[in-house]
Amino acid sequence: MKYQNYLIQRYLSKRWAPWAATLAVTLGVFSLLTVLAVMEGFKIEMRDRIRGTLSHLVVEADPFRGLVGEDLLLEAIQGVEGVAAAAPNVTTLALYKVGVMDHCVLRGVDPIAESQVSDLARFLLSDSEINMMLRDRYMLLPPEREPMALEQVEQLFSLKRRREVMRWRLEEDPGSGFSVESPPQAIIVGIEALRSFRLQMGDVVQISSYSPVTLEPCSGNFLVVGAFQSGVYEQDLRWAFTDIRALQNTLELWDEDAEDMRLSGISVKLDDYASADQIKVDVRREIERRMLLDESDPESIPMRSPSYETWEDKRAHLIQAVEIEKRIISVLMLLIVAFAAGMIFLILMLLVIEKQRDLGVLRALGATRGGVVSLVLRQGMFLCTLGAVLGLLGGWIFLENINAFHDWVYDMTGLRLFPPDVYYLERIPAILRWEDVLLVCLPTLIFGFLGSILPAIRAGRQDPIKALHHE
Amino acid sequence: MNELSAALPVISARKLVKSFPMANGAELKVLRELEMQIHESEMVAIVGMSGVGKSTLLHCLGLLDSPTSGEITYRDDSRTWRSSDLSEEDRCRLRNHFIGFVFQFFHLLPDLDVLENVLLPTFISQETGEWNKKRSQFEARGESLLERVGLKGRERQAPGTLSGGERQRVAIARALMLSPKLLLCDEPTGNLDSRTSESIHQLLRELHQDLSTSILVVTHDPDLASRADRRLQMIDGRFRSESDNQQVTDSS
Ligand SMILES: Nc1ncnc2c1ncn2[C@@H]1O[C@H](COP(=O)(O)OP(=O)(O)O)[C@@H](O)[C@H]1O
Ligand SMILES: [Mg+2]
């Protein structure tokens, strides 16, 4: 009926309090949306980084028994439908010493094979890039940079490269006791290990670990010949790569029973990651089948019990941490919306009490109970919806310009709200998803409805005679 | 007006009982098997002591309250409604179209201007689209009613800026907006000084002459009561009518 919109218009045009409720809804929706979008952007950004140098699928051995039968394993895995490539690795926790002592996760890889299963080639840095990064501690590899070519990767681990680095090093520091002719094995460290000055290019580091075979300490010398940047601080500080054969020898991984060198695991790249869970099962089935074959069978693989995980399985806790963070913050921000709905409730309640007589008159002139209920309900929903729309619009405009805004704040105050060194994020990532918009709007409208329905029902319940009785 | 419709009452109440529960559990019987009828174009005055139940009767007749027992019948040229089988929707429609209310305390909506107050019954009966189509028609009627009650040119004024008598005139125009069959006035001058009251009485009598609306007015004013077609005195929850014997012959 016409009176409802007409009266709402009149009531609202003569009062400011209802607009305060709208403003509260606007702010609530605005902040909720902003937080969700930034958290989502952050999550996506982190997901890429968290994956780091992991391949799609990882077959990982029990550290004390390892895996043996490298060629057979690779052959078995590559035979599974959907597998694009597979590469062996040896991974160990190690201490290293260069003046100070520190620890790292040292991974022995076949440089060419590894480049085909993981993003290693994408993260490896050229000498000029290393120099630039050492000068600018916030510098990040641009995402569009081409991965390093396979020949270059091979080069990096080659004897020629080691000799070159060694020669260059000896020029600066002749008394190190190593010769250019037989340099130590190559090691490639994360850029943060160089930046933190624990390590330098050309350093010879002594690496100590335990051999899982002999259970005795073992050690070897490695020459820092290169660096990588994965974009995750922890990895770039702690991870190091070397040649798989060199590490197998250093760790004395000769397995007497199988008469073969042990592996720590096999990295697998898939044609399509979307079917990873199925392929994981297929790979497992194939390897287990071969392990159960009679030893005399040429396909037989010595019995071990590795685990089979996708990279997301392996990083589940980290991915979940960001997801849970996002959820917790959304729930907290939802309180702002709830508060706004509470304001709508109070304002409508006051209005219903103030306008008791008007409502009685309307009823006496023929308005139905439902009509009066809807008069109040509509008003509440109007305030709430308007607030939500303004908040959405504001949030959207803000998110579109969030980095310009951030720069502006930086220019005005010198304050970095979002310091780039923590996560290497130069820009604030913000991704506004439809799901999140819905996740904001739906509860807002529901809260708004809950805040409006009680005053509306009270207005409907009111006895018109009583309302008209008192002056 | 034809004979038949003149003979049939616009509203009639039969054996109307209204009682309120009291705090001590007993019942307060306000209306006791009250009988009454009002014919087309009749002006009836109700007098009685304060607290006797006049307002209660008007609330029941005006469908703002339901009687404890008994029946009220509403009748226009084409239809008859019985209070016992009215749906909530019918009650609202009758309040809107059939009955006009004038209260002691005017009860204008302060957020609307004078003309909007007069148009309020149309706002209630019409959807926005329908109303907008008939807008000029409604506004013309509202303006002519305001002119009729002597408030020409005051359409855009806020009710708060009017005197008591003027507010009651607006309220009367509002009650007449949808040409109701019956106007219920509960002490319309109870809150006004005697000179203003006199002019409101004058207006009511004039309107009664002009329009075919029946008027039921509760009043303490002997002058107004005496000039009505009939005067009903309420005592003890019923009427003792001084003109009962003339009722049939008077109805022309
Ligand atoms: N809702 C109610 N509950 C209880 N008693 C009521 C109620 N409404 C009216 N009464 C009582 O009914 C009687 C008649 O009241 P009313 O019709 O207002 O009298 P009046 O003739 O002065 O208009 C009074 O005694 C009043 O106290
Ligand atoms: Mg009264």
Side-chain angles (χ1 to χ4, degrees):
Chain A
M1 305 292 131
K2 185 174 172 71
Y3 73 96
Q4 290 151 340
N5 295 343
Y6 213 80
L7 281 178
I8 288 170
Q9 211 179 318
R10 285 310 157 90
Y11 288 166
L12 293 183
S13 65
K14 293 191 179 178
R15 287 166 182 75
W16 61 266
W19 303 112
T22 297
L23 188 68
V25 175
T26 304
L27 286 179
V29 167
F30 176 85
S31 15
L32 194 51
L33 210 65
T34 307
V35 164
L36 281 178
V38 172
M39 291 296 287
E40 180 64 23
F42 187 66
K43 193 179 104 186
I44 300 286
E45 197 79 34
M46 283 320 282
R47 227 180 104 92
D48 269 6
R49 312 234 171 148
I50 285 169
R51 190 183 142 200
T53 49
L54 282 178
S55 64
H56 289 156
L57 200 65
V58 178
V59 180
E60 197 171 55
D62 165 352
F64 288 102
R65 300 190 64 205
L67 269 171
V68 280
E70 182 177 323
D71 295 339
L72 286 167
L73 277 166
L74 291 176
E75 180 204 313
I77 292 169
Q78 275 157 351
V80 173
E81 173 122 6
V83 170
N89 68 68
V90 171
T91 307
T92 183
L93 192 64
L95 285 174
Y96 66 82
K97 201 179 84 182
V98 237
V100 290
M101 211 145 76
D102 214 329
H103 65 274
C104 67
V105 177
L106 183 57
R107 175 169 267 229
V109 296
D110 175 337
I112 298 296
E114 183 68 19
S115 301
Q116 280 158 348
V117 297
S118 74
D119 281 337
L120 180 64
R122 197 153 71 83
F123 298 147
L124 287 176
L125 304 172
S126 70
D127 288 342
S128 59
E129 281 166 340
I130 293 173
N131 284 332
M132 278 196 289
M133 284 194 185
L134 290 180
R135 260 179 270 125
D136 174 6
R137 61 186 286 256
Y138 293 141
M139 191 186 147
L140 256 187
L141 272 186
E144 66 278 4
R145 191 200 71 141
E146 288 293 312
M148 193 179 265
L150 285 184
E151 312 85 76
Q152 269 176 293
V153 175
E154 199 169 20
Q155 252 265 295
L156 207 55
F157 285 81
S158 69
L159 182 62
K160 183 164 162 265
R161 167 79 178 173
R162 275 150 53 205
R163 283 183 173 155
E164 220 172 77
V165 174
M166 199 69 225
R167 185 177 303 120
W168 172 72
R169 180 62 175 178
L170 286 176
E171 275 168 22
E172 289 197 352
D173 179 14
S176 64
F178 293 96
S179 74
V180 172
E181 289 317 303
S182 56
Q185 289 298 334
I187 186 171
I188 291 176
V189 298
I191 188 72
E192 291 300 338
L194 295 184
R195 279 176 179 165
S196 66
F197 303 117
R198 295 270 152 126
L199 288 176
Q200 288 174 41
M201 290 288 285
D203 267 348
V204 174
V205 291
Q206 192 183 20
I207 297 245
S208 307
S209 187
Y210 267 86
S211 162
V213 181
T214 61
L215 299 180
E216 293 293 327
C218 51
S219 69
N221 288 318
F222 290 84
L223 177 65
V224 179
V225 297
F228 67 90
Q229 185 185 51
S230 70
V232 178
Y233 180 83
E234 194 58 24
Q235 292 180 16
D236 290 349
L237 185 67
R238 294 286 174 218
W239 285 31
F241 291 89
T242 184
D243 184 79
I244 183 168
R245 308 301 162 214
L247 192 58
Q248 277 173 331
N249 288 330
T250 306
L251 293 178
E252 299 166 32
L253 289 181
W254 182 253
D255 191 303
E256 290 289 349
D257 296 338
E259 298 191 345
D260 191 9
M261 277 292 187
R262 283 189 189 176
L263 299 175
S264 300
I266 294 176
S267 302
V268 184
K269 185 185 170 78
L270 308 179
D271 293 327
D272 177 14
Y273 182 72
S275 41
D277 284 321
Q278 179 53 45
I279 299 172
K280 180 173 77 179
V281 173
D282 294 345
V283 166
R284 174 189 203 127
R285 201 170 287 147
E286 174 63 9
I287 291 180
E288 282 175 356
R289 183 185 73 80
R290 293 223 196 178
M291 283 181 175
L292 290 174
L293 290 175
D294 191 80
E295 261 180 60
S296 58
D297 193 308
E299 285 202 330
S300 163
I301 297 173
M303 184 68 145
R304 294 291 190 271
S305 43
S307 63
Y308 304 81
E309 288 174 300
T310 64
W311 78 264
E312 276 174 290
D313 296 338
K314 281 189 82 70
R315 293 284 183 266
H317 54 289
L318 277 176
I319 295 173
Q320 267 167 19
V322 182
E323 182 62 39
I324 287 170
E325 231 169 281
K326 186 182 167 192
R327 239 176 279 163
I328 290 172
I329 292 184
S330 331
V331 169
L332 290 180
M333 299 302 265
L334 221 50
L335 288 180
I336 302 182
V337 177
F339 164 78
M343 262 178 91
I344 292 184
F345 170 77
L346 282 178
I347 281 163
L348 289 184
M349 217 57 185
L350 289 174
L351 191 85
V352 167
I353 291 167
E354 183 198 332
K355 291 291 163 197
Q356 208 169 33
R357 221 152 49 88
D358 285 19
L359 298 175
V361 173
L362 290 170
R363 299 273 281 126
L365 296 183
T368 59
R369 207 178 274 278
V372 172
V373 169
S374 111
L375 167 70
V376 178
L377 191 60
R378 271 194 218 182
Q379 185 162 347
M381 289 315 282
F382 171 74
L383 293 174
C384 180
T385 312
L386 182 71
V389 168
L390 289 180
L392 272 181
L393 219 67
W396 181 64
I397 291 171
F398 179 70
L399 288 169
E400 287 290 307
N401 301 296
I402 188 164
N403 282 300
F405 178 75
H406 187 217
D407 292 345
W408 178 76
V409 169
Y410 179 63
D411 289 345
M412 297 303 280
T413 64
L415 213 69
R416 278 220 184 271
L417 304 174
F418 206 84
D421 50 337
V422 180
Y423 295 110
Y424 292 111
L425 293 175
E426 287 187 321
R427 314 257 72 193
I428 301 175
I431 297 176
L432 194 52
R433 297 187 309 167
W434 281 114
E435 296 100 292
D436 288 337
V437 171
L438 218 64
L439 200 74
V440 173
C441 290
L442 225 60
T444 304
L445 294 182
I446 291 173
F447 279 148
F449 181 78
L450 292 180
S452 313
I453 191 73
L454 291 175
I457 288 175
R458 189 188 185 285
R461 285 242 177 103
Q462 191 172 278
D463 181 0
I465 298 172
K466 276 194 192 126
L468 294 171
H469 203 73
H470 306 284
E471 174 69 337
Chain B
M1 154 187 355
N2 66 47
E3 285 298 310
L4 186 66
S5 68
L8 290 173
V10 171
I11 186 167
S12 59
R14 292 208 56 228
K15 293 199 168 176
L16 206 59
V17 174
K18 179 70 188 179
S19 47
F20 295 106
M22 288 195 295
N24 61 14
E27 294 226 306
L28 174 69
K29 286 203 163 187
V30 179
L31 304 180
R32 300 166 183 244
E33 305 212 327
L34 178 143
E35 307 266 342
M36 71 166 296
Q37 32 189 265
I38 299 171
H39 292 267
E40 180 118 22
S41 305
E42 202 180 15
M43 180 160 175
V44 177
I46 296 179
V47 294
M49 308 257 280
S50 176
V52 78
K54 306 178 297 293
S55 295
T56 304
L57 172 65
L58 256 62
H59 292 151
C60 288
L61 296 178
L63 293 163
L64 286 173
D65 207 349
S66 307
T68 311
S69 71
E71 191 164 65
I72 307 168
T73 309
Y74 305 84
R75 191 178 286 114
D76 71 5
D77 302 334
S78 54
R79 261 196 81 176
T80 303
W81 295 267
R82 286 174 201 290
S83 62
S84 55
D85 48 39
L86 285 177
S87 68
E88 177 62 25
E89 207 168 310
D90 290 334
R91 295 168 66 92
C92 290
R93 273 191 65 78
L94 283 176
R95 280 208 295 269
N96 186 236
H97 281 86
F98 194 93
I99 294 160
F101 255 114
V102 176
F103 306 96
Q104 180 179 353
F105 295 110
F106 329 130
H107 291 322
L108 301 179
L109 266 50
D111 295 274
L112 302 183
D113 68 25
V114 165
L115 181 61
E116 287 166 337
N117 263 289
V118 174
L119 294 176
L120 196 54
T122 69
F123 291 168
I124 292 171
S125 66
Q126 307 282 316
E127 294 292 349
T128 306
E130 300 294 308
W131 192 91
N132 288 342
K133 269 185 229 157
K134 297 187 200 157
R135 180 192 185 118
S136 53
Q137 185 188 329
F138 285 142
E139 281 181 352
R141 170 149 176 87
E143 278 161 15
S144 80
L145 274 170
L146 278 173
E147 186 177 353
R148 181 67 195 79
V149 300
L151 290 173
K152 185 171 162 60
R154 314 288 286 275
E155 288 85 358
R156 292 299 162 204
Q157 230 167 306
T161 62
L162 299 178
S163 72
E166 287 165 339
R167 287 187 210 187
Q168 195 60 297
R169 287 163 187 271
V170 176
I172 290 169
R174 176 176 71 184
L176 293 172
M177 181 68 207
L178 290 176
S179 316
K181 297 298 283 182
L182 176 65
L183 195 62
L184 298 174
C185 311
D186 194 353
E187 302 188 33
T189 56
N191 210 29
L192 299 173
D193 61 68
S194 53
R195 280 190 59 180
T196 316
S197 300
E198 178 46 42
S199 69
I200 295 288
H201 294 158
Q202 182 69 32
L203 175 66
L204 279 175
R205 282 198 304 273
E206 284 171 19
L207 287 171
H208 174 236
Q209 307 260 290
D210 297 355
L211 309 167
S212 63
T213 301
S214 310
I215 300 179
L216 179 60
V217 57
V218 173
T219 183
H220 290 298
D221 187 281
D223 178 50
L224 179 63
S226 65
R227 298 218 208 169
D229 297 328
R230 270 193 298 144
R231 198 185 96 148
L232 301 173
Q233 178 153 33
M234 198 176 209
I235 295 175
D236 229 3
R238 320 172 185 216
F239 288 127
R240 200 179 69 191
S241 169
E242 285 127 56
S243 46
D244 260 355
N245 43 357
Q246 297 173 7
Q247 193 174 316
V248 182
T249 48
D250 252 21
S251 62
S252 51

